[in-house]
Amino acid sequence: MVADAGLFYPKTPERALIGIVARRLQLKLRGTDFTPCDAKDMPSRQRFSGSQRKTSGLSKRRCALRVDTSWSAGGGLTMTDVIRGNYYFSRQIDRGAQTR
């Protein structure tokens, strides 16, 4: 599920911890301001293929998919792997702030 959304899975807890610290620092510097948008403002639903993952620009729908996937992965992993679960929660906050 994580790979299908184009998200990175940290192979070790140390890499996950580095990712958490980096995201938290990035959020501290950038801030958490965001502009909420309604689902009707998103492009129509479409299936994402591997070829679309290689494009440089991401659609709002694709970004929303990554936010939702990060949240789901964080919730699922927190019960068994706290570090990686928190890594995905940090990614969710970061991706959500980028989806403007």
Side-chain angles (χ1 to χ4, degrees):
M1 174 174 82
V2 173
D4 290 341
L7 296 174
F8 170 75
Y9 182 80
K11 295 195 186 322
T12 64
E14 292 81 13
R15 287 184 81 176
L17 187 58
I18 291 168
I20 292 169
V21 171
R23 295 294 163 246
R24 299 289 168 105
L25 179 61
Q26 186 179 25
L27 285 171
K28 181 81 171 162
L29 295 173
R30 184 182 61 209
T32 56
D33 293 340
F34 71 98
T35 304
C37 69
D38 199 350
K40 68 181 179 184
D41 297 333
M42 297 239 182
S44 63
R45 196 174 289 250
Q46 57 181 312
R47 181 139 179 92
F48 299 106
S49 66
S51 62
Q52 286 176 318
R53 196 176 307 140
K54 293 180 177 109
T55 59
S56 58
L58 295 174
S59 69
K60 282 189 177 185
R61 172 104 26 217
R62 180 75 172 170
C63 289
L65 174 70
R66 286 182 169 189
V67 170
D68 292 344
T69 303
S70 294
W71 182 83
S72 296
L77 284 170
T78 298
M79 297 294 217
T80 57
D81 190 345
V82 177
I83 298 289
R84 286 188 182 103
N86 278 301
Y87 169 81
Y88 284 109
F89 281 136
S90 293
R91 292 299 298 167
Q92 178 216 5
I93 295 167
D94 181 48
R95 294 279 183 199
Q98 288 177 5
T99 309
R100 298 179 196 201

